[in-house]
Amino acid sequence: QNIKHCNMELHRQTCPKEIVNCPYYYVGCQEKITREDIDKHEETKTKIHLRKALEKIKEKKSPISIKLTEFSKHKRLQDEQYSSGFYTSAGGYKLRLKLCANGMGNGKDTHISCSVNLMPGEYDNTLEWPFQGEVTVQLLNQLEDKNHLKRTILFNDNTPDECKNRKNEVDNEGWGKDRFIPHTDLGLNSSTNT
């Protein structure tokens, strides 16, 4: 079929002969098939797709956590703690959490600071950039099963570009709250740093 060059991209989006990823690509099916063979492929590979989907669900970890042990020491040393990298969802953005027990910026010496850093991820080529969304962080009271503190970090049009654009390497450009949780809410005395 003769197609004008200016319509080629539009044609490729619907052409039955176009080679495409399996719709189950995000759960691990790496097969490339023609668009017209998708139904047949899904029908013959149902068990494989279900198995791969279950593996992804099992892989998906419970919420990411950083346990703040020796809090007073971290506060005194003014160091930063990072979570391991995690994905927002299967096939999603890769993030890590950064905590500063003694605060950063306008939260220095008075608050715990918390930020979220984007990291280079396996699925970055298939995602829309810049990252837009929200990350909910909850500080769990380990002494009693109540009084947990929850905050949401928004990535939107007001977020600086360097914090929400695609990353080619791990860096420290995070977006969050310098005044995430006041030390006083944790029963800490900011004048004695304990």
Side-chain angles (χ1 to χ4, degrees):
Q1 176 180 2
N2 289 336
I3 300 167
K4 290 183 179 178
H5 182 69
C6 61
N7 293 329
M8 183 57 80
E9 188 57 37
L10 184 60
H11 172 75
R12 290 185 73 204
Q13 292 175 12
T14 59
C15 176
K17 301 293 184 192
E18 178 75 12
I19 303 286
V20 295
N21 286 326
C22 167
Y24 290 86
Y25 171 82
Y26 293 108
V27 295
C29 183
Q30 301 298 314
E31 289 195 38
K32 304 241 186 228
I33 49 180
T34 60
R35 189 173 275 115
E36 67 187 353
D37 289 335
I38 288 176
D39 288 342
K40 181 179 176 185
H41 171 77
E42 288 180 328
E43 203 173 293
T44 60
K45 303 292 183 174
T46 301
K47 285 183 180 180
I48 292 169
H49 291 153
L50 282 173
R51 193 174 318 116
K52 288 184 179 294
L54 281 172
E55 287 169 9
K56 279 290 184 190
I57 290 168
K58 288 177 185 175
E59 267 177 34
K60 189 169 171 135
K61 297 178 179 146
S62 58
I64 301 305
S65 64
I66 300 175
K67 187 172 183 175
L68 285 174
T69 57
E70 301 180 34
F71 181 82
S72 293
K73 175 184 165 189
H74 289 291
K75 191 169 175 275
R76 186 180 71 254
L77 294 174
Q78 300 184 27
D79 60 0
E80 301 169 347
Q81 292 182 290
Y82 292 90
S83 72
S84 56
F86 59 93
Y87 285 91
T88 56
S89 62
Y93 300 88
K94 189 173 184 181
L95 310 172
R96 72 176 176 174
L97 191 64
K98 172 183 167 183
L99 289 177
C100 297
N102 201 41
M104 302 181 297
N106 64 10
K108 186 98 170 123
D109 297 326
T110 61
H111 287 71
I112 293 176
S113 296
C114 179
S115 63
V116 175
N117 301 64
L118 283 165
M119 300 176 71
E122 182 179 345
Y123 311 104
D124 288 354
N125 288 336
T126 63
L127 299 171
E128 289 187 29
W129 295 95
F131 172 66
Q132 300 273 318
E134 60 183 50
V135 178
T136 301
V137 179
Q138 188 170 16
L139 184 65
L140 302 176
N141 183 338
Q142 297 176 47
L143 301 176
E144 51 189 74
D145 194 20
K146 60 183 178 180
N147 300 323
H148 305 309
L149 303 169
K150 186 191 300 188
R151 304 288 187 269
T152 300
I153 298 171
L154 296 175
F155 285 79
N156 56 29
D157 293 336
N158 297 324
T159 307
D161 288 343
E162 63 271 15
C163 299
K164 63 184 178 180
N165 285 336
R166 184 176 176 174
K167 303 292 182 171
N168 294 317
E169 59 186 31
V170 176
D171 65 25
N172 290 326
E173 291 294 335
W175 181 244
K177 298 180 183 270
D178 288 348
R179 297 175 148 210
F180 184 67
I181 305 278
H183 291 157
T184 54
D185 284 7
L186 302 173
L188 300 172
N189 182 337
S190 58
S191 63
T192 61
N193 211 24
T194 59

